[in-house]
Amino acid sequence: MPAPPPQPSPGVGRASGAEAASGVEAASGAEVGQRVDSVLAGLRRHARHLVAELPGPLRRIRLRGGDTVLEVEWHAAPTGTAPAATASPAPPPTAAPPQGYAVRSPIVGTFYRAPEPGAAPFVAVGDLVRPGQVVGIVEAMKLMNEVTADRGGRVVEVLAADGHPVEYDQPLVALDPA
């Protein structure tokens, strides 16, 4: 007497006729999540590699998986010069000001000194800053990220220009410990 066909475990689906005929089985939620994480990790790796090869500072990058979209936009070079394809952007200064401390950018993006155009800046030279106080905003992918001081002090210099691109860990505001 032949053995009965195996029965599926409770909660486990079987492939439909079309899926079985094509050799594709229904994926569990965990498998789909793992595939999505894998695809996103691959996109991040490719984006980092692409950014490293592009001339000049990036303004925006947009990637999409379905129907494959890739948009890259960078700031134009000054009039009369063209960006060299082999040149890499100059690394941002990483040293703190000689006598003080620098509040650094937490992310790559565009630095803004004020909460909106025409508004007063968050801080100005001579202001006292306390730990946790917002000193600027870095816009990245249409998200406004507050930049806060993790130490107190007096603003000695604003190192990044308003509305200009900044790199990760680039000094934005120089503070003299108070």
Side-chain angles (χ1 to χ4, degrees):
M1 175 168 179
Q7 296 296 318
S9 301
V12 175
R14 301 189 90 180
S16 69
E19 291 170 317
S22 69
V24 176
E25 294 184 20
S28 72
E31 290 170 341
V32 171
Q34 288 173 345
R35 277 190 237 142
V36 168
D37 288 344
S38 174
V39 168
L40 288 174
L43 278 174
R44 282 198 249 8
R45 272 193 315 276
H46 291 301
R48 281 192 296 268
H49 181 70
L50 176 66
V51 167
E53 291 181 351
L54 289 174
L58 271 183
R59 181 173 174 186
R60 178 177 56 164
I61 185 168
R62 179 178 164 215
L63 303 170
R64 179 175 290 178
D67 294 326
T68 312
V69 172
L70 171 66
E71 293 178 10
V72 179
E73 183 179 331
W74 55 88
H75 293 276
T79 308
T81 63
T86 57
S88 61
T94 56
Q99 74 269 28
Y101 163 76
V103 178
R104 297 176 176 272
S105 177
I107 192 168
V108 174
T110 304
F111 177 69
Y112 295 105
R113 294 186 59 197
E116 61 186 36
F122 289 105
V123 295
V125 174
D127 288 352
L128 278 175
V129 174
R130 65 186 183 287
Q133 181 176 342
V134 177
V135 297
I137 295 174
V138 175
E139 176 188 6
M141 297 177 65
K142 304 292 182 197
L143 293 175
M144 300 299 178
N145 301 281
E146 290 183 339
V147 178
T148 58
D150 55 349
R151 298 183 197 172
R154 184 171 302 278
V155 177
V156 177
E157 183 181 1
V158 178
L159 302 167
D162 188 45
H164 284 81
V166 293
E167 298 292 324
Y168 169 75
D169 204 34
Q170 178 177 337
L172 302 175
V173 177
L175 298 178
D176 186 26

